[in-house]
Amino acid sequence: AQSVAQPEDQVNVAEGNPLTVKCTYSVSGNPYLFWYVQYPNRGLQFLLKYITGDNLVKGSYGFEAEFNKSQTSFHLKKPSALVSDSALYFCAVRDLYNTDKLIFGTGTRLQVFP
Amino acid sequence: GAGVSQSPSNKVTEKGKDVELRCDPISGHTALYWYRQSLGQGLEFLIYFQGNSAPDKSGLPSDRFSAERTGGSVSTLTIQRTQQEDSAVYLCASSLELKETQYFGPGTRLLVL
């Protein structure tokens, strides 16, 4: 079965510092991985995805993610955090063998302090 | 262009009543998904439509839940005889076709009293 895990419920970082939000995956075959962000009382916004190709994927709002096959990880990163980055972040894997639905992690709340 | 829209944005209902939630996908998107976000269960898949094919209902939690998609566009999720455990945010997403990125609407926040 396909799954993703987000080991941290919350990540705290000071504004201007680099941030990392962790995600590991377990899939059969090649993974299709995604990051979404959810601001309060809003839907999910697409940030970036990895399908194939370069292991470093660049996305919206200055975020990037590094696909690491040996560690089965897809951590989200940003070189310099902003207070406005504070939100709930979800890692997801596409279930290619069953309806193409997204299987989500439990989410990580990012808090950026001024 | 316009994104995925959902209505109503909030719905409060009494236990036992039926509710209908609406989703308007991005124009031209053939695939449409419903997910539910709740405190206890996180984000979970409910149902999926692809073009004119029969929907995959494998994620629906009970037979009180049903959904339809008319004309390959607008979708309605219906919950009959609502229960308090149905309280959640119901999210709709669409994608251009299979294996493309899914884009989400703002959700409908359902509260069953």
Side-chain angles (χ1 to χ4, degrees), chain B:
Chain B
V4 178
S5 61
Q6 293 185 246
S7 59
S9 54
N10 291 281
K11 177 72 176 179
V12 180
T13 190
E14 294 177 348
K15 178 182 173 181
K17 296 285 180 67
D18 298 351
V19 295
E20 285 190 352
L21 313 179
R22 177 187 168 106
C23 172
D24 282 90
I26 294 172
S27 177
H29 281 197
T30 63
L32 187 148
Y33 304 79
W34 283 97
Y35 294 85
R36 180 170 70 173
Q37 184 176 22
S38 55
L39 282 177
Q41 301 296 325
L43 269 160
E44 55 181 338
F45 164 79
L46 296 177
I47 190 170
Y48 156 73
F49 296 87
Q50 170 58 39
N52 295 321
S53 302
D56 185 298
K57 306 177 184 180
S58 59
L60 294 179
S62 79
D63 58 8
R64 296 186 294 105
F65 288 71
S66 63
E68 63 178 17
R69 188 178 185 191
T70 54
S73 180
V74 172
S75 176
T76 302
L77 177 69
T78 300
I79 309 174
Q80 295 179 310
R81 305 180 302 283
T82 52
Q83 303 294 313
Q84 289 181 333
E85 62 262 28
D86 300 334
S87 296
V89 177
Y90 290 82
L91 294 166
C92 176
S94 71
S95 65
L96 189 59
E97 56 187 34
L98 278 179
K99 296 181 172 52
E100 294 293 328
T101 300
Q102 295 179 27
Y103 294 93
F104 284 79
T108 294
R109 187 175 299 274
L110 175 66
L111 178 61
V112 182
L113 300 176

Side-chain angles (χ1 to χ4, degrees), chain A residues 75-112:
Chain A
H75 300 333
L76 181 70
K77 300 181 180 184
K78 188 173 182 181
S80 178
L82 300 173
V83 172
S84 57
D85 293 330
S86 299
L88 189 57
Y89 290 81
F90 289 95
C91 180
V93 63
R94 172 164 279 157
D95 189 351
L96 298 176
Y97 301 97
N98 186 10
T99 74
D100 200 42
K101 67 179 184 286
L102 289 171
I103 298 171
F104 289 90
T106 51
T108 298
R109 184 164 301 281
L110 174 66
Q111 188 70 49
V112 181

Side-chain angles (χ1 to χ4, degrees), chain A residues 38-43, chain B residues 106 109:
Chain A
Q38 186 176 37
Y39 297 99
N41 299 315
R42 302 283 294 278
Chain B
R109 187 175 299 274

